[in-house]
């Protein structure tokens, strides 16, 4: 799957792709045809960096309702030739989720689209899960023949049917169908036994019961030199085994292995020594972070973030300080993230400087940025406000934007009267909840209207409902 192409943040399309509250507000004020075209582009070409961390479906469904937009563009997307050529869930998942919300809002055309796609679409299982939450029993029962047609009546087809039943998020349709279709009933009964059989038949070589045996096992079989994740996984498993077999007299051997052992054993020894909070682990990790083997470096930097205690913070400050370490080095960046996670208020300037440096080098992307954002909020570093506002406005990830909003709520005195207002329309429920708890309810007529609409919307999350109703109740009492 290709990375989504995100339009500039000042454009209507860019705002909608990011799921920002201003996207909905601008769309309602824009030319309706232009707004619907931008909305369709977002729903049919998923703009999310990570669909498991970011929400968009309710946000887009609400805008479909506000604009009274037709679903013809979504129908063409679902039933086009690409549905046969590209069967990846990511192509149609967002579209189907939006249709599910629209069906819940009472859009009959959305319900019909989902039913039709269950019968003919490649991602029919997702559409069925959406219907399972919204459709009536009679309509679901009518879909059973079309669903069964997806599975040939042979051994391979029966295995696929059992797998589909096992992987369904919503079991309701399958339970309804089992009462009337013997084939589905038999597959439903057999499906749990398939899983147990696979678990019983798992093959694998386990290490012996000594430190030397475990360290040797950590490096077998031979690994692909570019398979960083494979080496790290086996080393992590070996480290867990070491916790059960290491004796006090094994420490010298572990230290030697952690300094210069072969990759798998070295990483396992480093992990074990870190878990035991060994006094030598900081120096060992510093050396590993400068190693020529990228696998060693990658895991060492990850382990730096797991260090704890006053001594660990002292080492992190040295590594992160431009005067004593390499603030712009990989070790320096890992050390700053440690300070962001567990440091003290006095570490705030170092974390703010690292946040600014990250933005200048990497922009508003990257796995380490979120930790720095959380850190400046946790440390109440007011100097980070301009950087946080920039991240809030530009981030393509709505999850990262929500973290920036959380930090701004802690350090920006203007948050409640400014960004919090926009956040009431945000695509992330956690961001809407944050806004409901902090927003100033006087001075902007849109705020109370939005709070009341959120309180009345049955599709809204329970946490948002609680926050909104709490603010409305408190306001009514003070009035």
């Amino acid at each position: 799957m290709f990375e989504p192409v995100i339009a500039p943040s000042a454009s209507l399309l860019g705002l909608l792709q990011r799921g920002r509250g201003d996207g909905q507000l601008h769309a309602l004020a824009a030319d309706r045809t232009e707004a619907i075209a931008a909305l369709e582009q977002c729903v049919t070409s998923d703009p999310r960096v990570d669909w498991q961390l970011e929400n968009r479906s309710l946000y887009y469904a609400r805008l479909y309702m506000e604009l009274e937009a037709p679903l013809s563009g979504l129908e063409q997307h679902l039933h086009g030739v690409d549905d046969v050529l590209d069967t990846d869930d990511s192509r149609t998942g967002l579209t189907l989720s939006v249709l599910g919300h629209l069906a819940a809002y009472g859009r009959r055309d959305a319900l019909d689209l989902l039913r039709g796609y269950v019968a003919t679409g490649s991602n029919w299982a997702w559409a069925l899960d959406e219907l399972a939450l919204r459709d009536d029993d009679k309509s679901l029962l009518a879909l059973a023949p079309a669903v069964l047609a997806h599975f040939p009546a042979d051994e391979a087809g029966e295995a696929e049917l059992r797998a589909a039943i096992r992987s369904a998020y919503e079991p309701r349709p399958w339970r309804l169908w089992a009462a009337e279709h013997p084939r589905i009933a038999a597959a439903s009964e057999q499906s749990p036994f398939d899983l147990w059989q696979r678990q019983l038949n798992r093959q694998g070589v386990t290490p012996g019961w000594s430190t030397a045996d475990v360290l040797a096992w950590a490096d077998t079989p031979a690994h692909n030199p570019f398979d960083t994740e494979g080496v790290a996984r086996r080393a992590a498993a070996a480290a867990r085994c070491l916790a059960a077999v290491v004796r006090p007299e094994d420490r010298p051997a572990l230290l030697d292995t952690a300094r210069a052992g072969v990759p798998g054993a070295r990483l396992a020894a480093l992990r074990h020594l870190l878990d035991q909070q060994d006094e030598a682990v900081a120096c060992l990790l510093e050396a590993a972070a400068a190693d020529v083997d990228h696998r060693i470096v990658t895991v060492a930097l990850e382990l730096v973030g797991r260090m704890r205690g006053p001594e660990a913070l002292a080492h992190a400050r040295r590594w992160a300080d431009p005067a004593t370490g390499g603030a712009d080095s990989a070790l320096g960046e890992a050390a700053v993230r440690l300070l962001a996670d567990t440091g003290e208020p006095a570490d705030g300037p170092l974390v703010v400087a690292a946040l600014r440096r990250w933005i200048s080098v990497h922009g508003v992307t990257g796995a380490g940025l979120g930790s720095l954002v959380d850190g400046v909020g946790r440390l109440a570093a007011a100097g980070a406000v301009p950087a946080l506002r920039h991240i809030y406005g530009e981030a393509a990830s709505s999850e990262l934007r929500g973290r920036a909003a959380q930090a701004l709520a802690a350090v920006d005195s203007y948050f409640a009267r400014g960004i919090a207002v926009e956040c009431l329309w945000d695509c992330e429920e956690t961001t809407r909840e944050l806004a409901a708890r902090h927003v100033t309810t006087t001075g902007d007529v849109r705020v109370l209207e939005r709070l009341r609409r959120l309180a009345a919307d049955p599709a809204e999350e329970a946490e948002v409902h609680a926050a909104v109703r709490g603010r409305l109740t408190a306001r009514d009492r003070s009035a």
Side-chain angles (χ1 to χ4, degrees):
M1 178 182 176
F2 296 104
E3 285 291 319
V5 177
I6 305 299
S9 60
S11 66
L12 173 60
L13 177 59
L15 289 169
L16 291 176
Q17 287 176 319
R18 288 168 173 81
R20 280 183 52 182
D22 269 358
Q24 288 211 24
L25 297 172
H26 279 66
L28 295 175
D31 175 77
R32 181 172 177 270
T33 302
E34 177 190 353
I36 291 175
L39 178 59
E40 278 187 0
Q41 182 172 340
C42 292
V43 177
T44 58
S45 182
D46 194 337
R48 293 173 293 181
V49 177
D50 187 342
W51 66 268
Q52 293 177 305
L53 293 178
E54 300 182 59
N55 298 300
R56 292 289 191 283
S57 54
L58 180 57
Y59 172 87
Y60 293 140
R62 282 172 168 165
L63 194 49
Y64 261 97
M65 295 297 293
E66 294 276 6
L67 294 171
E68 298 181 354
L71 303 183
S72 53
L74 304 190
E75 183 176 11
Q76 292 173 11
H77 177 66
L78 291 177
H79 294 293
V81 67
D82 284 345
D83 195 58
V84 178
L85 302 176
D86 181 2
T87 59
D88 193 286
D89 288 358
S90 62
R91 195 190 78 84
T92 53
L94 178 59
T95 304
L96 296 171
S97 295
V98 170
L99 289 172
H101 284 299
L102 290 174
Y105 278 130
R107 291 278 300 253
R108 181 57 185 259
D109 50 351
L111 201 61
D112 290 340
L113 264 179
L114 287 171
R115 290 169 180 164
Y117 191 76
V118 166
T120 62
S122 64
N123 197 11
W124 62 267
W126 192 313
L128 180 61
D129 284 332
E130 297 293 339
L131 286 174
L133 296 171
R134 284 116 181 166
D135 216 348
D136 58 80
D137 288 358
K138 181 179 179 181
S139 298
L140 288 174
L141 285 169
L143 291 173
V147 171
L148 277 173
H150 291 298
F151 305 99
D154 54 24
E155 185 175 344
E158 296 305 319
E160 292 174 4
L161 176 59
R162 295 195 298 271
I165 294 172
R166 231 179 8 255
S167 61
Y169 284 100
E170 299 295 336
R172 177 177 162 232
W174 299 100
R175 290 172 180 168
L176 286 172
W177 299 337
E180 297 196 5
H181 295 271
R183 187 180 172 195
I184 294 177
S188 299
E189 292 174 1
Q190 181 62 35
S191 183
F193 293 98
D194 290 349
L195 179 60
W196 295 337
Q197 191 67 41
R198 287 201 305 275
Q199 292 173 334
L200 289 171
N201 292 337
R202 290 180 67 179
Q203 301 294 322
V205 179
T206 58
W209 287 95
S210 74
T211 298
D213 288 336
V214 173
L215 293 175
W217 176 81
D219 265 292
T220 55
H223 296 290
N224 180 340
F226 300 103
D227 185 13
T228 302
E229 293 184 3
V231 174
R233 282 195 302 270
R234 196 172 185 88
R240 292 191 291 272
C241 294
L242 286 174
V245 303
V246 166
R247 299 168 298 177
E249 56 267 32
D250 294 328
R251 183 172 182 268
L254 286 168
L255 292 175
D256 289 341
T257 303
R259 286 190 193 97
V262 286
R266 185 177 181 184
L267 294 178
L270 284 169
R271 284 184 178 277
H272 175 77
L273 291 169
L274 176 65
D275 291 341
Q276 300 303 310
Q277 296 187 337
D278 191 282
E279 60 184 13
V281 75
C283 294
L284 292 169
L285 288 175
E286 184 174 4
D291 200 87
V292 295
D293 190 327
H294 71 96
R295 297 170 297 179
I296 301 292
V297 173
T298 299
V299 176
L301 295 175
E302 181 259 324
L303 294 179
V304 166
R306 292 174 48 192
M307 295 171 64
R308 293 295 182 268
E311 292 186 6
L313 290 179
H315 283 288
R317 291 177 185 123
R318 176 171 61 84
W319 294 333
D321 191 334
T324 57
D328 58 349
S329 68
L331 179 60
E333 290 180 356
V336 171
R337 291 196 292 274
L338 175 59
L339 294 176
D341 291 340
T342 65
E344 299 169 349
D347 299 314
L350 275 176
V351 181
V352 172
L355 179 63
R356 292 170 178 161
R357 187 166 53 250
W358 185 288
I359 294 172
S360 68
V361 175
H362 306 289
V364 289
T365 60
L369 181 55
S371 295
L372 298 177
V373 168
D374 295 342
V376 293
R378 187 183 69 82
L379 298 171
V385 169
L388 290 172
R389 289 178 178 173
H390 175 73
I391 293 169
Y392 176 88
E394 295 297 324
S397 165
S398 57
E399 188 263 348
L400 177 61
R401 182 177 65 252
R403 294 166 80 167
Q406 182 75 50
L408 283 167
V411 301
D412 185 358
S413 60
Y414 188 69
F415 176 78
R417 302 187 303 277
I419 287 176
V421 176
E422 178 191 343
C423 288
L424 290 173
W425 282 264
D426 198 86
C427 67
E428 296 291 337
E429 64 264 20
T430 54
T431 306
R432 296 194 298 275
E433 179 188 356
L434 175 76
R437 296 191 186 282
H438 288 84
V439 71
T440 300
T441 57
T442 57
D444 190 331
V445 295
R446 299 174 301 172
V447 172
L448 282 177
E449 179 187 356
R450 181 59 176 174
L451 289 175
R452 292 186 180 115
R453 292 193 68 171
L454 290 175
D457 191 338
E460 188 52 87
E461 297 292 331
E463 293 82 359
V464 180
H465 274 159
V468 168
R469 289 167 181 167
R471 291 301 304 280
L472 292 174
T473 302
R475 185 181 183 280
D476 291 341
R477 286 175 179 169
S478 64

